[in-house]
Amino acid sequence: MGGAPAASAGGRCERPPLLPRVAGTQGGGMLGKGVVGGGGGTKAPKPSFVSYVRPEEIHTNEKEATEKEVTLHLLPGEQLLCEASTVLKCVQEDSCQRGIYGRLVCTDFKIAFLGDDESALDNDETQFKNKVIGENDITLHCVDQIYGVFDEKKKTLFGQLKKYPEKLVIHCKDLRVFHFCLRYTKEEEVKRIVSGIIHHTQAPKLLKRLFLFSYATAARNSPATDPKKHAVMFDTLQDWCRELERTKGNMKYKAVSVNEGYKVCERLPAYFVVPAALLEEDIVFFQGRGIPIWCWSCHNGCALLKMSALPKEQDDGVLQIQKNFSDRIYKTVHRPPYETAKTEDLSSNFLSLQEIQMAYSKFKQLFLIDNSTEFWDTDIKWFSLLESSSWLDIIRRCLKKAVEIIECLEAQNMNVLLLEDNASDLCCLVSSLAQVMMDPHCRTIFGFQSLVQKEWIMGGHCFLDRCNHLRQSDKEEAPVFLLFLDCVWQLVHQHPPAFEFTETYLTVLSDSLYIPIFSTFFFNSPHQKDTNMGRESQDSQSKPLNLLTVWDWSVQFEPKAQTLFTNPLYVEKPKLEKVQRKGTHFKHQRQLSLPLTQSKSSPKRGFFREETDHLIKNLLGKRISKLINSSEELQDGFREFYDGWHSRPPSYQGLLLPRLEGPEIKVWAQRYLRWIPEAQILGGGGVATMSKLLEMMEEVQRLQEKVEVRHHSQEALQAEAASPPRTSGRLSSLFPFALLQRHSSKPVLPTSGWKALGDEDDLAKREDEFVDLGDV
């Protein structure tokens, strides 16, 4: 296969006496440069010159080059566990295999490949470089599945191995896929690195054994930054009082400190807000259960609250006590005709964690692509696979539930009480979505980060269990927070001017779930965090650990990179409101939502084209009627509220509602497609439009400065006018992540499985009119 020999029969093979090296190979271990390219979509001719190099020479030369040019950078407290040399990191495409030689290492923080390609990165490509995680780094918590290739067959790896693979394939939770060829690595090093990676990524862990604590201990004496500069942390009584004042809820609700030191309940935060009429002894009665806890107050005085269910009992006497208690507590928020409340039971009338986990497990497989051939083979089934995962439908249901809550608060002037077993999963999701839609403060960066702190961190969402950071039980795993971010992305995509932050911000935030130097997403409750940080330690000489918060983005990114988090078109003042025009659709852009109505037939089908007429007819059948007819399911009052809002121009500093019809719910392309070169549009997509708008805004700003500063000399103004303009020529539709994919190749359509596509050369020429995915 291209530059590297194909796997031989009989398992992991010995080194061949001679290894062909393709002519034109770049120095330092690059293999097989002859990839798809050139005009008309045809493959470049195979090189005629072949040089035979002995494996021993490759071992020596590659290892020396790697050791000279690349060093392993360790974080404070990070320790090297095992490593292997002469490992080939592969980039697989149709009929060729190429890659870079280097070292594969495993530490107690990450898996890292140390190749010699880092020097190839220019300034443009390093502007969005993560300072903690490199392009070829995988944190141990980010590893999803590990596969081994035996005789060209891929098998899942776990536990102790009797036979070691010739290739290691790692699927990551951020949807990257890594291929490491071990055929030219020493056998003892193969055993050590494969066993080490499997053990340190899959074996159950204790909380105190997480790298989070090693890092915090090593950096204990480092100067700490003030987390309150980036978000309201809600770890003091004053924070809750100020939030009550901001939302004008302090007339009916009060902040309490009855759980200070977690004396009442370890599940609740030390401080929270309850109805003013609620007595403190009521909070203590069932250890904080069955108590309405305030989330947010509407402008009309109504409030959004949440409540954890009372313990399930069989004894009739206890059940009667619980009923009397619930009736008394309910009257604190439901006192008709002055105040009414509606209870929304999310445990029985909404999604389950199992549904969310199952849907996402199917959905993510669409993007964990091993090679270009697999990508094109699944192209014809794209809509079917997307619909069968149910992930987009779950997003729609979450947004719809949030709109239902808003309708009660806004139109019916009712309090809404969300009920869930622990009030820490779906309650966090729905209440946060409702606040993002209703409160423009939550659509700023500071406000959104404060919202996550209030509803998710202090709300007791079990990040440790839901992300399965300890690898102790898959039963508790469910991507609830990722589902929330995907729902927020739908709002950002539909109403860009309403948000101060961008989709890049949301994508990076989702990646930060798996970086164990931040404490934000690595605990199940504030009590668990405070206990393990040493804040409750009786040892006065023991200094509490200073764990980093993810909201300090300077830890991961330079200031220039952080500018990509801020939306330059954000509408801050109502006078700047404009009706958002519908986005331009490119013929070569992947359709990322399920179809609503049948479109005209087109000779172009699949990933960058419309699907076949037969498939569209199937998709428009009963199987997705729940998506297509979703708006017809709405109740009369809800539909009047929903249609009434969408009939008016949106107020970007007011209430914001999503469009819920099936095709309006789309795939979050930047997060899910960013590592697939075939899905990129060089110089196209939404980023090209945004880049042009930024150029115009910068030009306007320069003109304003010229008008305001009249005392500048004419020469200085001319020099400024002659400054070179910004260019977006090298940007990809998946910028800024696509720049990391430097080796892109032009797709060649598979001829098998396609009918009535016409001549292949003609089709390739037509493709050139819309997209060019040649080497950058």
Side-chain angles (χ1 to χ4, degrees):
M1 293 176 61
S8 64
R12 189 178 169 278
C13 63
E14 298 298 327
R15 300 189 190 94
L18 293 175
L19 176 69
R21 192 169 210 176
V22 176
T25 298
Q26 296 181 1
M30 293 292 292
L31 288 183
K33 185 63 177 176
V35 295
V36 179
T42 58
K43 295 185 179 180
K46 294 183 179 180
S48 58
F49 175 76
V50 178
S51 172
Y52 289 91
V53 184
R54 294 187 179 278
E56 290 77 9
E57 298 178 43
I58 293 180
H59 275 278
T60 303
N61 297 338
E62 298 295 347
K63 192 170 183 179
E64 287 179 357
T66 301
E67 288 176 349
K68 287 180 181 179
E69 299 180 12
V70 181
T71 57
L72 175 63
H73 299 285
L74 298 176
L75 296 176
E78 185 179 2
Q79 295 181 348
L80 176 64
L81 301 176
C82 54
E83 65 177 308
S85 57
T86 324
V87 175
L88 179 67
K89 176 178 175 283
C90 305
V91 178
Q92 293 200 352
E93 291 167 357
D94 293 321
S95 60
C96 67
Q97 185 184 60
R98 61 185 179 188
I100 302 165
Y101 273 108
R103 283 189 298 154
L104 183 63
V105 304
C106 180
T107 73
D108 55 352
F109 169 62
K110 64 178 181 286
I111 301 166
F113 177 77
L114 307 176
D116 59 354
D117 62 331
E118 295 182 6
S119 60
L121 292 173
D122 55 30
N123 291 333
D124 290 337
E125 292 179 307
T126 57
Q127 66 176 340
F128 199 66
K129 182 180 179 181
N130 191 309
K131 297 191 291 184
V132 178
I133 303 297
E135 175 184 353
N136 293 322
D137 294 346
I138 315 166
T139 66
L140 301 182
H141 296 281
C142 192
V143 174
D144 190 14
Q145 291 287 342
I146 301 176
Y147 300 93
V149 177
F150 304 85
D151 300 338
E152 299 186 358
K153 295 181 180 178
K154 191 171 73 172
K155 299 179 181 179
T156 306
L157 300 183
F158 54 87
Q160 294 290 330
L161 300 182
K162 296 181 180 179
K163 184 179 179 182
Y164 289 86
E166 58 194 34
K167 181 183 287 186
L168 197 65
V169 181
I170 300 178
H171 287 186
C172 305
K173 292 183 179 179
D174 61 4
L175 305 180
R176 289 180 295 169
V177 177
F178 287 88
H179 295 257
F180 298 110
C181 180
L182 307 173
R183 296 181 63 204
Y184 313 113
T185 309
K186 293 179 181 179
E187 189 169 351
E188 58 271 19
E189 292 185 1
V190 171
K191 293 180 180 180
R192 193 181 308 123
I193 193 67
V194 173
S195 299
I197 289 176
I198 292 174
H199 174 74
H200 293 291
T201 59
Q202 296 183 357
K205 298 178 179 64
L206 297 175
L207 178 60
K208 280 288 191 178
R209 301 288 293 177
L210 293 181
F211 178 74
L212 175 71
F213 294 98
S214 300
Y215 180 84
T217 302
R220 189 193 294 264
N221 296 322
S222 301
T225 59
D226 183 12
K228 294 187 181 295
K229 294 193 305 182
H230 313 288
V232 179
M233 304 306 290
F234 291 99
D235 54 358
T236 66
L237 192 66
Q238 290 72 25
D239 287 346
W240 289 98
C241 292
R242 283 192 286 267
E243 181 71 359
L244 276 173
E245 293 176 3
R246 187 186 71 82
T247 60
K248 297 180 174 56
N250 49 351
M251 297 298 292
K252 297 181 180 180
Y253 298 89
K254 62 181 180 182
V256 295
S257 58
V258 65
N259 197 39
E260 199 168 32
Y262 307 101
K263 295 175 292 187
V264 176
C265 177
E266 296 180 353
R267 179 180 46 83
L268 292 174
Y271 312 100
F272 50 92
V273 175
V274 295
L278 194 68
L279 303 176
E280 286 195 1
E281 49 264 35
D282 289 332
I283 301 175
V284 179
F285 196 79
F286 281 108
Q287 293 80 45
R289 289 188 172 274
I291 298 299
I293 296 178
W294 176 87
C295 297
W296 184 78
S297 286
C298 189
H299 61 86
N300 58 14
C302 297
L304 178 61
L305 307 106
K306 61 183 177 182
M307 177 192 290
S308 58
L310 291 171
K312 296 180 180 179
E313 295 287 346
Q314 300 295 329
D315 184 83
D316 292 340
V318 177
L319 287 173
Q320 187 60 44
I321 294 175
Q322 288 185 351
K323 184 179 184 304
N324 295 337
F325 177 81
S326 298
D327 291 343
R328 186 173 77 254
I329 297 301
Y330 190 59
K331 291 179 182 178
T332 62
V333 294
H334 182 74
R335 296 175 295 172
Y338 308 104
E339 193 175 23
T340 58
K342 176 184 178 182
T343 302
E344 190 72 40
D345 189 352
L346 300 179
S347 294
S348 59
N349 300 326
F350 196 41
L351 296 166
S352 67
L353 297 183
Q354 291 75 20
E355 283 182 83
I356 296 173
Q357 174 65 9
M358 186 178 300
Y360 185 71
S361 297
K362 294 179 180 178
F363 177 73
K364 69 182 180 182
Q365 295 304 319
L366 297 174
F367 312 101
L368 292 168
I369 303 297
D370 280 341
N371 51 62
S372 182
T373 301
E374 180 181 341
F375 173 86
W376 290 107
D377 286 346
T378 58
D379 182 42
I380 190 66
K381 301 180 290 186
W382 165 251
F383 282 142
S384 300
L385 295 172
L386 179 61
E387 186 269 333
S388 63
S389 73
S390 300
W391 181 250
L392 295 186
D393 184 50
I394 285 178
I395 292 172
R396 184 187 65 83
R397 290 170 65 184
C398 292
L399 292 171
K400 181 174 180 289
K401 179 63 67 176
V403 176
E404 290 174 354
I405 301 302
I406 293 171
E407 192 266 339
C408 291
L409 292 167
E410 279 274 348
Q412 301 184 32
N413 294 324
M414 298 175 64
N415 294 327
V416 177
L417 181 60
L418 304 176
L419 183 64
E420 191 183 10
D421 289 342
N422 289 316
S424 60
D425 288 304
L426 299 177
C427 279
C428 299
L429 172 65
V430 174
S431 64
S432 299
L433 284 178
Q435 291 175 65
V436 169
M437 295 180 196
M438 299 186 73
D439 191 346
H441 174 70
C442 297
R443 302 196 284 267
T444 65
I445 293 178
F446 185 89
F448 184 78
Q449 293 176 169
S450 301
L451 172 68
V452 174
Q453 279 292 139
K454 180 180 70 171
E455 294 298 328
W456 295 85
I457 311 303
M458 291 298 159
H461 180 66
C462 300
F463 283 100
L464 199 64
D465 294 340
R466 297 296 174 259
C467 297
N468 199 15
H469 287 317
L470 298 181
R471 302 282 183 175
Q472 292 183 348
S473 175
D474 294 340
K475 296 180 180 179
E476 299 294 323
E477 187 174 1
V480 184
F481 186 70
L482 179 59
L483 175 59
F484 165 67
L485 295 181
D486 208 330
C487 291
V488 174
W489 179 85
Q490 304 292 333
L491 293 166
V492 171
H493 179 73
Q494 293 184 16
H495 306 286
F499 291 86
E500 185 186 22
F501 51 85
T502 62
E503 67 168 343
T504 301
Y505 167 85
L506 294 174
T507 302
V508 170
L509 181 56
S510 72
D511 291 342
S512 301
L513 283 169
Y514 315 112
I515 304 180
I517 67 170
F518 305 109
S519 63
T520 311
F521 303 127
F522 276 82
F523 292 102
N524 282 336
S525 65
H527 168 263
Q528 187 184 51
K529 176 181 177 181
D530 289 348
T531 301
N532 288 279
M533 283 178 62
R535 289 183 176 177
E536 294 185 349
S537 174
Q538 301 299 321
D539 186 1
S540 58
Q541 297 182 357
S542 175
K543 184 179 179 181
L545 295 178
N546 237 332
L547 301 179
L548 295 177
T549 174
V550 74
W551 310 126
D552 185 1
W553 294 109
S554 63
V555 176
Q556 295 190 67
F557 299 99
E558 298 292 348
K560 184 177 181 181
Q562 292 181 55
T563 59
L564 297 174
F565 297 167
T566 304
N567 179 14
L569 303 182
Y570 171 58
V571 176
E572 298 186 61
K573 297 179 182 180
K575 65 180 182 180
L576 297 178
E577 289 178 2
K578 295 181 181 180
V579 179
Q580 180 71 13
R581 297 182 63 183
K582 294 184 178 180
T584 304
H585 295 279
F586 299 89
K587 290 186 178 181
H588 59 280
Q589 192 171 8
R590 182 177 188 177
Q591 188 165 342
L592 300 176
S593 61
L594 293 171
L596 178 62
T597 56
Q598 183 174 349
S599 58
K600 289 185 177 180
S601 60
S602 170
K604 298 182 179 183
R605 302 173 172 88
F607 202 105
F608 290 97
R609 292 152 288 276
E610 299 294 337
E611 292 231 341
T612 61
D613 295 341
H614 177 69
L615 181 57
I616 289 179
K617 291 177 181 178
N618 288 337
L619 286 170
L620 293 176
K622 297 180 180 179
R623 292 188 298 116
I624 60 168
S625 60
K626 58 184 178 182
L627 292 177
I628 296 173
N629 302 318
S630 59
S631 60
E632 298 177 5
E633 300 173 4
L634 310 181
Q635 299 176 356
D636 292 341
F638 179 93
R639 174 175 270 287
E640 182 180 355
F641 174 75
Y642 175 82
D643 291 343
W645 187 89
H646 283 286
S647 65
R648 302 185 297 270
S651 173
Y652 294 125
Q653 287 298 310
L655 175 64
L656 201 69
L657 296 185
R659 293 182 289 273
L660 298 173
E661 291 74 17
E664 301 293 347
I665 307 300
K666 301 182 182 298
V667 173
W668 183 359
Q670 187 190 67
R671 183 181 193 275
Y672 299 119
L673 294 172
R674 55 186 160 155
W675 312 121
I676 305 177
E678 292 83 359
Q680 297 175 18
I681 310 168
L682 298 182
V687 69
T689 303
M690 178 65 72
S691 180
K692 291 298 181 183
L693 290 172
L694 288 175
E695 291 176 21
M696 293 175 61
M697 292 177 65
E698 290 178 0
E699 180 64 22
V700 170
Q701 187 176 2
R702 286 196 294 268
L703 291 173
Q704 288 176 339
E705 291 174 354
K706 290 178 182 180
V707 172
E708 294 173 0
V709 188
R710 295 175 177 271
H711 61 274
H712 280 184
S713 64
Q714 186 67 24
E715 292 79 7
L717 291 178
Q718 291 176 353
E720 184 179 0
S723 59
R726 299 172 72 254
T727 176
S728 58
R730 298 186 72 241
L731 296 184
S732 161
S733 59
L734 302 180
F735 175 84
F737 302 97
L739 284 179
L740 299 179
Q741 301 292 320
R742 297 185 304 282
H743 307 297
S744 61
S745 63
K746 194 168 198 171
V748 175
L749 295 177
T751 56
S752 60
W754 297 88
K755 296 181 179 180
L757 287 180
D759 184 75
E760 184 179 355
D761 293 335
D762 293 339
L763 182 59
K765 291 178 181 178
R766 291 200 300 269
E767 280 299 308
D768 287 340
E769 299 173 6
F770 304 113
V771 60
D772 183 8
L773 294 179
D775 286 345
V776 179

